Amino acid sequence: MAPLILGVFQYFFPNGMSGQSWRHPDNRAVDYLDLDHWLRLARQFEDAKLDFLFLADSYGYPTIDGAIPDVALRDAMNLPGADPSIIVSALAAATTHLGFAVTAATAFEPPVANARRFSTLDHFTRGRIGWNVVTGSSQVAASALFGIPVTPHDERYDMADDYLDLSLKLWEGVWDDDAVRADKAAGVYVEPAGVHPIRHDGPYYRAEGIHMVEPSPQRTPVLFQAGSSGRGREFAARNAECVFLQGTTRAAIAAAVRDVRERAAGYGRDPGSIKFLVGMTVLTAPTRAQARAKADEMHAMSSPEGAAAVYAGNTGINLLALDQDRPLSQIQASGEQGQSNIDRFREAGAAGAPAPLVRDILEEIRRRGLRGGLIVGDPTEVADQIQSFVDETGVDGFLIEPHLTPGTYDDFIGLVLPVLRERGLARTEYAGATLRESLFGVGHAHLPADHPGAVHRAARQALADLAVPVGSRAMMTRSGASRGGAGSAAP
Ligand SMILES: Cc1cc2nc3c(=O)[nH]c(=O)nc-3n(C[C@H](O)[C@H](O)[C@H](O)COP(=O)(O)O)c2cc1C
C-alpha cells in the first residue's frame, strides 16, 4: 500500500466540528484570528511531513426557521468566522513543502475574481495551493446574506460546471508559458503573441478578455471537491482531482469511490487519476483506556441542541422538530441545502438494518459531528483501523479533523504517524515542488491531459503553433462544449 495522503482539516472559526470543544482549556482554536497560532500549526504539520492544511469555509451559518439558534452563537458553531484565504500567503512564507487547500463556494463570488485569487495564491505559495470547490453549505443563510434566492440544489452544480469551465479557460487558455519575457533591455515584459484573449458564453457565465494574472506554477490550483450527493458526484467525476467524501459506513464510502470512478470514465478521464479522502477524527493515547477517556470527554462536550443546529445549517432540517422515534422518511426533505448529510441517514443501516430513527441521527451527529469519521484507540489500534478502512473503502487518505487544536494533532503526529511510517503508510519525505506533484508525483505540476481543463491548454498551444498575429485573431470562444472528455472540439 502506498503512503496515504494525510491532510489536516481546520476551520477558520473558534469551534471545531460541532459540540463545545472550544470550551476545553487546551483548545487553542479560539486563537483563529492570531497569525502566530497558524504559523505554529503550519510549521508543526510540515515538520510532520503532512501533505496539506485544508481550511474549510462558508458564507453561511446555522439557521432554524430563518433564525440563528442561540446555541450556535453561544458555542460558536460555524460562526463567527473569517476569510481563510487571506492567511495562506503568510503560512506559505513560513513553510517550504506543506500544501494549502482552501474552500471557495461557487454560488456567491464571480468566477473571474475567484480565478485571480487562486492564481495569486499559486504564485505566493510557489505552486502549493488547492481549491476545494463546493456549491456552499448553509445556502439559506448565505443566499439571504448575498440578497439572492436559493438556487435549486442540482442547478447549483450546473452553475458550478460553467463556473469551472470559465475558470479553467482563464487559467489554461490565455497565457503561453513563455509569454512573460520581462526583458528590460528589449523593453518587452509580455510578448503580445503569447496572450490569447478568451470569450466565454456559458449557460450561466459570460466573459471576454484575458486572465490578468501571469502563469503561476500550477496554473490551475489542485481541484478538490466536497459534496457527496448524486449531482455532487457527477460534478466531482468531471472536474475533481481529489474528492472529500462523507458517509456513515465503510460500505457507503466504498460505493461512492466506485461510483465517482465509473462516472469519471464517462468523461474520458482515467478513473484511477482521482484521489479520495475522508474526514476522520482520531482520538488516541498511549493506552486504549486513555483514548476512550478522550472520546468520553469529547462526547460530554456536546448537546442535542448543538447537534441539531449544525445539522440544520447543513441540511435545512430541524431534527428536534421531528418525531424522534421515526426515521427521516417521515418528512419529504427537499435537500435544497445539502444532500450528503440527508442521504447518509436515509440509507438503510449495514446489512439491511432499518434506517436510523431521528433520535439515533441526533446522537450520531452529537457524537461524531457532521463528517462521521471517528477512530479511537491506542496507536497500534488506530493504525490497524486506518489500514482496514483503506482496504475496505479504497480511499487514498484522510483529512485529520480536530477535537482539540493542537492536541488532537499532537497525539496523531506523536503517536500514530510513527506506526504508520513503520508500515510504509505515511511519507518520510516530501516529493516535488508543487502540491499537485506532492499528491500525483514529480513532473505532474499541471492538470493531467485527460482533465476537461486541458482542452484549453491544447487550444492555446494550437494557436501558438499557428503563430496567428494578435491583431487578426478572433476571440478564442468556447462554451458548454466540455461536457465531453478532453477530446471535445477545440475552437
Ligand atoms: C471533508 C469535507 C469538507 C467540506 N468542506 C466544506 C467547506 O469548507 N465549505 C462548504 O460549504 N462545504 C463543505 N463541505 C460540504 C458540505 O459539508 C455539504 O455536505 C455539501 O455542501 C453538500 O453537498 P451535496 O448536497 O452535494 O451533498 C465539506 C464536506 C466534506 C466531506
Side-chain angles (χ1 to χ4, degrees):
M1 192 185 289
L4 298 170
I5 296 174
L6 295 172
V8 171
F9 191 122
Q10 276 281 313
Y11 266 96
F12 225 63
F13 312 128
N15 192 19
M17 295 306 182
S18 62
Q20 303 136 351
S21 297
W22 72 277
R23 301 184 192 188
H24 192 289
D26 300 340
N27 197 345
R28 302 314 321 156
V30 290
D31 299 337
Y32 78 107
L33 288 175
D34 174 0
L35 183 53
D36 293 331
H37 166 74
W38 292 103
L39 289 170
R40 279 191 298 275
L41 288 175
R43 292 187 182 115
Q44 178 188 16
F45 301 147
E46 173 149 298
D47 293 346
K49 306 279 188 299
L50 297 177
D51 289 279
F52 62 88
L53 168 60
F54 166 62
L55 295 167
D57 186 30
S58 178
Y59 273 109
Y61 41 80
T63 56
I64 291 181
D65 304 331
I68 305 175
D70 287 356
V71 65
L73 291 162
R74 275 197 304 271
D75 276 315
M77 294 172 178
N78 292 17
L79 60 83
D83 181 345
S85 67
I86 305 287
I87 205 172
V88 169
S89 300
L91 303 184
T95 55
T96 307
H97 299 285
L98 185 71
F100 302 94
V102 180
T103 294
T106 56
F108 307 109
E109 295 175 75
V112 168
N114 185 66
R116 185 179 72 158
R117 179 192 302 134
F118 276 97
S119 286
T120 307
L121 286 170
D122 198 39
H123 277 292
F124 284 114
T125 61
R126 297 194 175 89
R128 291 183 279 145
I129 195 72
W131 171 26
N132 180 33
V133 188
V134 300
T135 58
S137 58
S138 306
Q139 281 282 330
V140 170
S143 299
L145 202 54
F146 279 81
I148 58 175
V150 174
T151 304
H153 180 272
D154 286 10
E155 186 176 357
R156 285 201 297 273
Y157 280 108
D158 296 344
M159 292 175 71
D161 274 330
D162 193 26
Y163 190 112
L164 206 56
D165 270 0
L166 171 52
S167 306
L168 290 162
K169 198 183 285 184
L170 293 168
W171 287 319
E172 302 287 341
V174 173
W175 293 81
D176 286 351
D177 295 339
D178 56 2
V180 176
R181 291 179 45 193
D183 183 339
K184 293 178 185 246
V188 177
Y189 189 88
V190 174
E191 179 56 54
V195 178
H196 313 281
I198 60 111
R199 180 184 300 136
H200 183 80
D201 297 315
Y204 297 97
Y205 299 100
R206 279 180 175 43
E208 191 168 336
I210 68 165
H211 182 51
M212 284 288 288
V213 188
E214 52 191 275
S216 61
Q218 303 180 114
R219 282 181 177 263
T220 294
V222 175
L223 298 174
F224 294 83
Q225 185 272 352
S228 308
S229 61
R231 187 63 185 82
R233 293 180 196 181
E234 190 67 25
F235 179 83
R238 181 174 175 268
N239 301 301
E241 296 176 85
C242 293
V243 178
F244 296 155
L245 285 175
Q246 62 196 82
T248 306
T249 63
R250 294 181 181 195
I253 290 170
V257 170
R258 284 194 302 276
D259 180 35
V260 174
R261 289 198 197 286
E262 281 158 22
R263 291 173 192 246
Y267 288 101
R269 299 184 67 191
D270 166 9
S273 69
I274 303 176
K275 305 287 186 187
F276 294 86
L277 305 177
V278 167
M280 189 64 76
T281 301
V282 174
L283 299 178
T284 190
T287 70
R288 178 188 304 176
Q290 291 167 319
R292 288 266 19 116
K294 288 184 181 184
D296 296 343
E297 174 198 69
M298 181 176 85
H299 295 149
M301 300 183 82
S302 63
S303 68
E305 295 74 24
V310 164
Y311 192 77
N314 192 271
T315 64
I317 297 172
N318 176 10
L319 293 173
L320 291 174
L322 303 182
D323 178 338
Q324 301 296 298
D325 296 316
R326 293 178 60 203
L328 214 43
S329 55
Q330 66 182 272
I331 57 165
Q332 283 305 314
S334 73
E336 284 311 325
Q337 284 238 78
Q339 290 176 2
S340 305
N341 285 311
I342 298 173
D343 297 346
R344 62 187 275 215
F345 294 117
R346 248 205 284 258
E347 298 150 10
L357 304 178
V358 167
R359 72 173 63 261
D360 303 327
I361 299 172
L362 207 50
E363 184 59 8
E364 163 83 8
I365 300 291
R366 189 182 74 75
R367 295 175 66 82
R368 299 159 71 111
L370 268 181
R371 309 285 163 229
L374 176 66
I375 292 179
V376 180
D378 66 36
T380 304
E381 287 173 324
V382 168
D384 291 348
Q385 290 187 51
I386 284 177
Q387 207 156 358
S388 65
F389 190 102
V390 172
D391 290 342
E392 284 178 43
T393 62
V395 299
D396 303 282
F398 301 90
L399 276 176
I400 305 302
E401 300 177 13
H403 163 41
L404 305 179
T405 296
T408 303
Y409 303 114
D410 296 346
D411 296 341
F412 181 80
I413 291 169
L415 299 170
V416 176
L417 262 188
V419 181
L420 293 178
R421 286 210 172 96
E422 275 164 27
R423 299 181 187 191
L425 294 176
R427 67 165 67 244
T428 54
E429 287 308 323
Y430 284 106
T434 63
L435 176 57
R436 190 172 277 113
E437 288 170 292
S438 178
L439 299 175
F440 296 96
V442 175
H444 296 276
H446 293 131
L447 270 184
D450 67 351
H451 188 282
V455 73
H456 305 301
R457 184 166 64 209
R460 170 176 51 76
Q461 279 154 358
L463 268 175
D465 299 346
L466 288 171
V468 177
V470 172
S472 63
R473 185 178 317 127
M475 286 288 180
M476 187 168 87
T477 62
R478 210 188 60 68
S479 64
S482 69
R483 290 266 163 253
S488 64

